[in-house]
Amino acid sequence: MIRKLLRRIFRRPEDNARTRASHSGPVHIALAQHGISCDALLPAARKVCETLQAEGYQAYVVGGAVRDLIAGISPKDFDVATSATPEQVTAAFRRARMIGRRFKIVHVMMGRDTIEVTTFRGDSDAETDEHGRILHDNVFGTMEQDAERRDFTVNALYYDPSNETVVDFHHGVADLKQKTLRMIGDAPRRYREDPVRMLRAVRLAAKLGLAIDPDARDPIRSMASLLENVPPARLFDEMLKLLTSGHAVRCVRQLREDGLHHGLLPLLDVILEQPMGERFVMLSLERTDERVREGKSISPGFLFATLLWHEVLADWEKRKTEGESSVPAMFEAMGAVLDQQGEKLAITRRIATDIKDIWSLQPRFEARAGKRPYRMIELPRFRAAYDFLLLRAASGEVPQELADWWTDFAAADGSAREAMLRPEEAPKKRRRVRRKPSASQSVVPE
Ligand code: ATP
Ligand code: MG
């Protein structure tokens, strides 16, 4: 309450700059200049706008979709912004569902598509924490206010399918053409309001091939630590978006070039500060980028398993040298690494299970005798664990020969498989080791 009052009285010059920018009024850009005909839209998005407009509301396709179409990229999703309240939107469609507690948005279902419809939002008096981070952003606003609370100028574009015009409040189309990612308003203030915008800046610049405007880029280094105050679940989502954007390598390189990875995210520190793991991680990100670009699916569990693997290896080695026996030490190390990341990054339980499955199978690739290889290839997680092994071999962590052996073994028929088994690891000997009573005895070399 008091903070709101103070903010109103002591408006900073940067606030005035924001106000001034938006008061100059929007530019209406015609089809001939932007080149996006309404046929380029997902038909469902167009229909949602038409229906709302027919009811007398303003309705536009907004944000990433308009930006991507102008940049010649096919949009991931189509969002609509409207002057209708969530209740009015819901009433206008047969299949619509309101979601969210504080700021409600509406999912309108049309055939197999879902369009996210958001009421214009204003943020002038949003409640903030002690660092200036906006906690609740739940005030309806005008279209102009809605444009002002968006992050980058290229994201504040509104497309009206009825006249194929782009309404541009902050010169986003010009910035897009000039390949610049520019923050709306004062960048440090916008980062304080929502530190995730720093990650979005890097991701969107990499995705769209834009240079981050120095005003938006320079503060990131000193403000990166504000990401610590962001809820871990949100950071996880954003990090996943960054890593599965199809431009993960470029994003991570840029973060490093600018020295932004320090403290930006614990996970990135981990990735980029470990010389041993760097090759492995970069290979994994390259393959992920390739898969995204080929339209193939990405398993977040696999991805995070690769990113954190060398942390596990280091911790595992440490525990073994301290005298813990191999298998329990491995499980302890996995738990410790996931816990440490979990403080900052809410890795969901399902993904954590996938990660552990992949990790825990790695030592079992060493066993190439007896029945164990047969059991191994029957496991449901064999394929993921095997792909992981291929990456370990490609990065030089384990001999290529080991990976090739498993490739051949999986492809071979019954008798060929038998011929491949290694005789020296007699199963009998291992059974004897397992029967030994104490852990300290079992680590004595035979
Ligand atoms: P993409 O969908 O390609 O990942 P996007 O920019 O569309 O990128 P979304 O998360 O889909 O990202 O957000 C949709 C729109 O909402 C953005 O274009 C932007 O206008 C606005 N937006 C998203 N996140 C923020 C934020 N943190 N601060 C301000 N505006 C935001
Ligand atoms: Mg989007």
Side-chain angles (χ1 to χ4, degrees):
M1 214 22 212
I2 293 176
R3 204 176 290 141
K4 271 188 197 172
L5 195 67
L6 288 175
R7 205 177 311 128
R8 240 178 253 157
I9 299 169
F10 299 109
R11 272 197 177 271
R12 282 173 279 195
E14 68 229 32
D15 300 328
N16 294 335
R18 287 178 76 187
T19 317
R20 209 174 38 240
S22 53
H23 277 177
S24 60
V27 179
H28 291 257
I29 302 172
L31 174 63
Q33 279 117 37
H34 59 68
I36 311 302
S37 101
C38 61
D39 300 334
L41 302 182
L42 190 70
R46 185 173 162 186
K47 182 90 184 101
V48 167
C49 289
E50 284 167 358
T51 306
L52 289 169
Q53 288 175 353
E55 302 253 342
Y57 306 112
Q58 291 171 284
Y60 300 86
V61 173
V62 68
V66 186
R67 174 200 71 206
D68 288 355
L69 284 172
I70 296 177
I73 299 171
S74 88
K76 262 196 338 222
D77 40 42
F78 284 80
D79 300 330
V80 166
T82 179
S83 59
T85 64
E87 288 75 16
Q88 289 166 335
V89 175
T90 314
F93 297 95
R94 204 164 46 83
R95 291 168 62 216
R97 196 172 32 142
M98 231 187 292
I99 58 168
R101 262 185 301 161
R102 274 173 174 271
F103 195 94
K104 294 190 171 54
I105 60 173
V106 182
H107 279 174
V108 176
M109 276 79 75
M110 286 210 174
R112 289 190 312 166
D113 299 313
T114 299
I115 304 295
E116 198 168 289
V117 183
T118 314
T119 305
F120 293 145
R121 230 182 267 197
D123 72 351
S124 48
D125 287 327
E127 192 184 330
T128 59
D129 71 4
E130 72 269 30
H131 307 283
R133 187 169 71 84
I134 291 183
L135 297 173
H136 305 300
D137 177 7
N138 55 355
V139 185
F140 295 143
T142 62
M143 179 176 174
E144 181 177 338
Q145 288 169 330
D146 188 80
E148 201 172 330
R149 62 158 274 285
R150 291 178 186 271
D151 44 10
F152 304 101
T153 62
V154 297
N155 283 346
L157 301 173
Y158 297 73
Y159 183 85
D160 184 346
S162 70
N163 57 12
E164 300 181 312
T165 296
V166 171
V167 186
D168 180 359
F169 286 88
H170 297 278
H171 308 290
V173 173
D175 283 341
L176 199 51
K177 302 262 179 214
Q178 285 156 19
K179 301 226 159 278
T180 302
L181 190 72
R182 196 186 312 279
M183 182 69 86
I184 296 172
D186 177 65
R189 179 190 143 133
R190 304 298 319 273
Y191 291 144
R192 273 194 298 277
E193 287 173 355
D194 181 7
V196 163
R197 289 173 185 151
M198 292 185 262
L199 288 175
R200 287 179 53 84
V202 172
R203 174 168 67 85
L204 292 174
K207 169 176 170 166
L208 298 157
L210 306 182
I212 306 176
D213 170 54
D215 284 350
R217 181 192 178 116
D218 295 346
I220 296 182
R221 195 183 288 253
S222 62
M223 299 185 76
S225 63
L226 287 179
L227 279 165
E228 285 168 21
N229 310 315
V230 174
R234 174 120 196 268
L235 265 194
F236 178 74
D237 283 351
E238 199 54 40
M239 205 50 206
L240 198 57
K241 274 194 186 178
L242 190 148
L243 294 170
T244 57
S245 63
H247 306 277
V249 169
R250 219 194 295 172
C251 284
V252 166
R253 289 234 166 88
Q254 177 160 0
L255 289 169
R256 178 165 37 191
E257 242 169 58
D258 300 344
L260 298 182
H261 61 293
H262 283 296
L264 191 55
L265 261 191
L267 181 61
L268 282 178
D269 258 351
V270 168
I271 299 170
L272 300 175
E273 298 296 319
Q274 45 180 5
M276 258 283 285
E278 192 194 323
R279 196 171 140 61
F280 180 72
V281 163
M282 283 319 224
L283 257 179
S284 157
L285 294 181
E286 274 167 30
R287 304 246 165 119
T288 306
D289 283 351
E290 267 167 37
R291 284 186 67 88
V292 173
R293 287 175 198 185
E294 288 165 9
K296 294 184 183 159
S297 67
I298 294 295
S299 147
F302 187 88
L303 185 57
F304 280 97
T306 59
L307 298 184
L308 297 171
W309 173 240
H310 278 262
E311 284 290 286
V312 175
L313 279 184
D315 198 58
W316 186 25
E317 276 311 310
K318 189 166 134 264
R319 286 170 196 273
K320 282 193 290 186
T321 46
E322 285 166 4
E324 276 187 56
S325 43
S326 179
V327 174
M330 169 81 173
F331 280 86
E332 293 281 327
M334 293 187 333
V337 169
L338 284 176
D339 281 351
Q340 188 202 344
Q341 287 300 322
E343 283 171 22
K344 295 280 157 61
L345 211 60
I347 298 177
T348 61
R349 200 170 297 164
R350 200 179 59 78
I351 293 178
T353 306
D354 288 350
I355 297 175
K356 283 193 211 161
D357 284 348
I358 291 170
W359 285 344
S360 60
L361 289 178
Q362 296 309 307
R364 293 174 62 173
F365 283 114
E366 304 294 335
R368 291 189 266 173
K371 296 219 162 33
R372 281 185 295 169
Y374 292 97
R375 285 202 291 267
M376 182 76 168
I377 56 171
E378 293 307 324
L379 294 175
R381 303 296 293 161
F382 171 76
R383 182 70 214 188
Y386 162 76
D387 285 343
F388 196 85
L389 176 73
L390 294 187
L391 263 186
R392 293 172 65 206
S395 69
E397 184 212 324
V398 292
Q400 186 59 42
E401 177 272 326
L402 179 67
D404 292 344
W405 189 91
W406 281 97
T407 307
D408 295 342
F409 189 78
D413 61 17
S415 57
R417 278 186 182 169
E418 212 167 305
M420 288 178 70
L421 293 177
R422 294 288 159 103
E424 67 269 25
E425 290 178 50
K428 232 174 157 189
K429 195 170 161 192
R430 295 192 63 85
R431 267 207 298 276
R432 202 158 52 83
V433 173
R434 243 187 276 140
R435 265 198 234 116
K436 285 193 174 176
S438 83
S440 60
Q441 273 173 307
S442 69
V443 292
V444 175
E446 306 211 345

